[in-house]
Amino acid sequence: MNAVQIRSAERALSAGTWLIVAGAMLYSVLTVTPLAAQHTPDRWAWTAPILPLVVDAAVVIVVRLDAVLARLGGHGGRWPIVLRWMTGCMTLALNVADSALKNDLVGVAVHAVAPLLLIVTAETGLAYRRAIAAAVTRLEAEQRAERQARERAAVERREAADRRAREEREHAALLLREQREHEAQLAREQTEREEAARRAERAEREARERAEREGRERREREREQQQRERERIEREAAQRRERERLERDAEARRQEQERAERERRERAALLAAGPVNVKLPEDRARAVVQAAFGEGLAVRAAAELCGWSVGWVSARYTEHRDGAGFVLEGASS
């Protein structure tokens, strides 16, 4: 598998994990809230959803940080394991408690599905992420080894070329010495001068042709080597640009997810205060109404949360709907 396939597998694992976590959280809130309301004084019954939300928030923290540590190849020690299993057991106990108190074994089995699936998914996702991180490390090591092997081969080719050039220079010097010896011999032996001159001329011509042929071959090899080097540099530059683009895309997605999560937490914080008996200040009331509109609450529920009239809240809802329609119209155009 290449890096793109590994990242695709990581995205599929992350999306599936968060889908299961979100479904388990929603099911847990809907299941545990009535049980908590039954065992809470009437005046504090509105706090019943807080308990499942706190437990589920711990689950989200565990899943998120386990994913980060697994990607970095780290290990958080014993406490993350304790928190992961403690939250899982708490979620399981809270979900099956109502059916267990009623001796409803079928209800216990049905309500245990989501918590058990959440626990197993958290453990399995952590194992998958660690395996993927190990595979990525191994793949990078193999690529680094291949690159080093190519560099060593290039060095060896350069050394071989230098060795051939040195041998050619030594051969040319040897030919020069032979030529001088022939000339000395021709000087001493006048009768053999013409024959020796012809031999020397023939040898020189052959040497020149051989030198030119070898020079052409050497230049051709150098051009081929330069062409391969340019192709390698261009290929590495293209790979580097692609990696940078993917890193920028991943950073943009991460910032968008963080912004959406931050807005969701802010809306949850505004709505967690519950109904009020007095009118909130207008700026805070507008923030509460906007959060209620984003969560899809009814107008009357939003009016109870901010203490303002239903008509005023309905007017704010109308403003938000008009604003959302304007944004959608602009995006479609």
Side-chain angles (χ1 to χ4, degrees):
M1 294 181 68
N2 54 30
V4 175
Q5 293 172 326
I6 292 175
R7 282 190 293 272
S8 178
E10 287 181 337
R11 287 194 296 270
L13 175 61
S14 179
T17 301
W18 285 113
L19 180 61
I20 293 174
V21 169
M25 288 177 60
L26 178 60
Y27 190 76
S28 176
V29 170
L30 296 176
T31 301
V32 178
T33 299
L35 177 63
Q38 291 175 6
H39 297 275
T40 303
D42 294 338
R43 59 179 297 189
W44 298 104
W46 59 272
T47 64
I50 294 178
L51 178 60
L53 287 176
V54 170
V55 176
D56 292 337
V59 173
V60 172
I61 292 173
V62 168
V63 173
R64 178 59 181 167
L65 292 184
D66 280 344
V68 174
L69 286 176
R71 188 67 182 87
L72 296 176
H75 193 277
R78 293 176 298 176
W79 285 110
I81 298 175
V82 173
L83 179 59
R84 187 164 61 248
W85 280 94
M86 184 177 69
T87 53
C89 292
M90 286 181 178
T91 303
L92 176 62
L94 290 172
N95 275 269
V96 303
D98 188 40
S99 298
L101 292 175
K102 296 177 181 178
N103 294 324
D104 183 5
L105 298 181
V106 176
V108 170
V110 170
H111 288 89
V113 171
L116 290 176
L117 182 61
L118 181 60
I119 294 172
V120 175
T121 299
E123 294 295 332
T124 305
L126 179 59
Y128 277 141
R129 288 188 177 92
R130 288 177 177 170
I132 290 173
V136 170
T137 301
R138 185 172 61 255
L139 179 61
E140 291 176 350
E142 292 176 356
Q143 293 175 350
R144 187 165 53 252
E146 293 177 358
R147 185 168 58 254
Q148 292 175 355
R150 289 194 297 270
E151 292 175 354
R152 285 196 300 271
V155 172
E156 291 175 356
R157 286 194 297 270
R158 287 196 298 271
E159 292 178 351
D162 294 340
R163 185 168 57 253
R164 285 193 298 270
R166 186 171 58 253
E167 291 175 355
E168 291 172 358
R169 288 194 299 271
E170 292 176 354
H171 183 66
L174 178 60
L175 291 177
L176 182 60
R177 286 195 301 271
E178 290 177 353
Q179 182 179 357
R180 290 174 180 174
E181 291 175 357
H182 280 296
E183 291 175 354
Q185 184 179 2
L186 290 174
R188 289 190 302 268
E189 299 177 359
Q190 184 65 30
T191 57
E192 299 177 357
R193 179 176 301 171
E194 294 179 356
E195 183 65 24
R198 287 193 296 271
R199 288 198 302 270
E201 183 180 358
R202 186 171 55 254
E204 183 179 0
R205 184 175 59 256
E206 292 175 354
R208 184 169 57 254
E209 292 175 354
R210 185 169 53 255
E212 291 176 354
R213 184 174 59 257
E214 292 175 351
R216 287 194 300 271
E217 294 175 354
R218 183 172 62 256
R219 288 191 295 272
E220 183 65 25
R221 288 194 299 271
E222 290 176 353
R223 284 195 298 271
E224 293 176 355
Q225 182 177 358
Q226 292 174 357
Q227 180 65 22
R228 288 194 297 271
E229 184 66 18
R230 285 195 298 271
E231 292 176 354
R232 182 185 65 81
I233 293 174
E234 292 174 356
R235 186 167 55 255
E236 291 178 351
Q239 293 175 353
R240 182 169 60 253
R241 290 193 297 270
E242 181 65 18
R243 286 195 301 270
E244 292 175 352
R245 185 185 65 78
L246 293 175
E247 290 174 355
R248 289 194 299 270
D249 293 344
E251 180 64 20
R253 287 194 297 273
R254 183 186 65 77
Q255 292 178 357
E256 181 64 21
Q257 291 174 356
E258 290 178 352
R259 184 185 63 77
E261 180 64 19
R262 183 169 59 253
E263 292 177 355
R264 188 191 64 78
R265 287 198 300 269
E266 291 174 356
R267 290 198 301 269
L270 289 172
L271 298 178
V276 296
N277 296 325
V278 295
K279 292 175 62 176
L280 297 177
E282 184 175 356
D283 54 346
R284 182 167 179 82
R286 285 180 177 273
V288 172
V289 169
Q290 184 177 3
F293 178 80
E295 295 294 331
L297 297 181
V299 174
R300 185 170 297 278
E304 293 176 355
L305 291 173
C306 69
W308 285 65
S309 66
V310 174
W312 184 85
V313 174
S314 178
R316 304 291 80 74
Y317 265 47
T318 302
E319 293 176 358
H320 291 307
R321 279 193 294 270
D322 293 341
F326 178 77
V327 171
L328 291 176
E329 182 180 356
S332 63
S333 63

